Amino acid sequence: MKKALFLILFATACSSDKEKATPTDDPTYTLIFLDKTRSVNVNKAFVAQKYQQAINDIIEQNIKQKGDRLDVYFIHENTSKARAVSLTTRTEMEDVSAASPTDREAAETEFELALGREKAQIRQRVLQQLAAQNTGSSNNETDIWASLPVIAKANETGAVVKVYYLSDMIESVKGTSRRDFQVRPPADNAQADTWAKEDVDQLKQYTIGSPSITMVLPFEPNASVKENNPAVTQYWQTLFNELGAGQIEEL
């Protein structure tokens, strides 16, 4: 059911975005956080298919014009320093305001073809990072909090910021002031909300603006509550909301 909903939501967004996209839109700054810790296995068929489709759709939706930017960061113990890809779209639509209908159509076709080639290159780069294995010690901890200063920096650009977590969202960092959901996950939604509101005090230093945030989880539809604990995503829903995020989705 989740997989079907995921595909429907992305397909709908793609068709509507194609209709509305013009080269005069504000630039989009896309952040993709790829989980590179032991708890997420991208070699598993379901996960690989879901995440490859997600990446295809993210690029199709958000790479529309010159100036659109896409960064990929790895999630592990040093997330904020783990940028793996940073690409900015170069394809530009020429000014056709004074052109004839025939010349305008030709220019638009040329733009779409050039943009399509650039998106294919971006897609290849991102999929290469999805497949990259992390066998180092950094895969022992999952520091999702460290994505917040990255988002805050993107917010400073003035672009439309869209954030995607391809992760199980299991925060797991040792320390008395940190959360380790591997050891102690929230017991229910009420505790998740309480923890999130407590944690905002030490995270509100990061001005993330109002980005849209999508959590693309690696769990199959028949996953147990123990594996796919809804209280974990409730924690993030509340935390992001408290920090000022706009639309927040779980897929």
Side-chain angles (χ1 to χ4, degrees):
M1 181 66 183
K2 279 189 176 181
K3 181 178 178 182
L5 177 60
F6 166 81
L7 294 173
I8 291 169
L9 285 170
F10 268 113
T12 303
C14 284
S15 62
S16 62
D17 279 1
K18 276 186 174 181
E19 292 169 4
K20 296 177 182 178
T22 71
T24 57
D25 289 340
D26 290 333
T28 299
Y29 195 149
T30 302
L31 289 169
I32 300 177
F33 292 96
L34 296 178
D35 199 319
K36 293 295 178 179
T37 59
R38 292 181 299 174
S39 62
V40 177
N41 181 9
V42 295
N43 290 324
K44 189 176 180 181
F46 174 82
V47 180
Q49 181 181 2
K50 182 172 184 178
Y51 281 1
Q52 287 169 15
Q53 185 64 54
I55 288 167
N56 289 338
D57 291 334
I58 290 165
I59 292 169
E60 189 63 33
Q61 289 177 42
N62 299 336
I63 303 300
K64 305 175 189 175
Q65 62 181 343
K66 182 179 180 180
D68 286 341
R69 177 172 172 177
L70 183 147
D71 286 1
V72 175
Y73 281 77
F74 290 161
I75 291 175
H76 50 48
E77 72 171 9
N78 193 22
T79 301
S80 63
K81 302 296 184 182
R83 188 172 69 184
V85 172
S86 182
L87 299 167
T88 302
T89 311
R90 299 185 302 272
T91 303
E92 185 173 14
M93 177 69 182
E94 66 179 86
D95 184 4
V96 293
S97 57
S100 68
T102 301
D103 289 344
R104 184 181 299 113
E105 184 177 355
E108 290 172 352
T109 299
E110 183 179 349
F111 169 75
E112 290 297 336
L113 289 172
L115 184 63
R117 289 191 293 269
E118 192 165 11
K119 286 194 289 189
Q121 294 170 354
I122 294 171
R123 186 178 299 111
Q124 182 180 28
R125 288 281 302 278
V126 179
L127 289 174
Q128 285 173 347
Q129 298 308 318
L130 175 67
Q133 298 297 305
N134 179 18
T135 57
S137 60
S138 65
N139 70 12
N140 291 325
E141 293 192 358
T142 307
D143 192 353
I144 301 174
W145 280 13
S147 66
L148 297 174
V150 176
I151 300 171
K153 189 172 181 180
N155 177 53
E156 293 173 0
T157 67
V160 176
V161 179
K162 297 186 178 182
V163 182
Y164 301 85
Y165 292 94
L166 277 60
S167 170
D168 58 10
M169 305 305 289
I170 304 295
E171 178 84 354
S172 181
V173 179
K174 297 176 179 63
T176 56
S177 63
R178 299 302 303 264
R179 298 292 176 190
D180 190 344
F181 293 158
Q182 292 278 16
V183 175
R184 187 189 176 204
D188 51 34
N189 286 349
Q191 187 171 61
D193 289 339
T194 298
W195 285 2
K197 290 175 181 178
E198 290 174 355
D199 293 341
V200 164
D201 287 339
Q202 58 181 313
L203 297 172
K204 62 185 178 183
Q205 60 179 301
Y206 304 116
T207 305
I208 68 170
S210 55
S212 66
I213 296 178
T214 303
M215 296 175 282
V216 187
L217 306 177
F219 306 117
E220 298 193 47
N222 60 353
S224 66
V225 171
K226 184 177 180 180
E227 181 182 6
N228 183 12
N229 182 350
V232 169
T233 47
Q234 177 66 27
Y235 168 87
W236 293 109
Q237 289 267 358
T238 302
L239 183 72
F240 291 140
N241 185 63
E242 290 288 322
L243 290 172
Q247 183 178 7
I248 305 169
E249 287 188 286
E250 171 194 340
L251 300 173

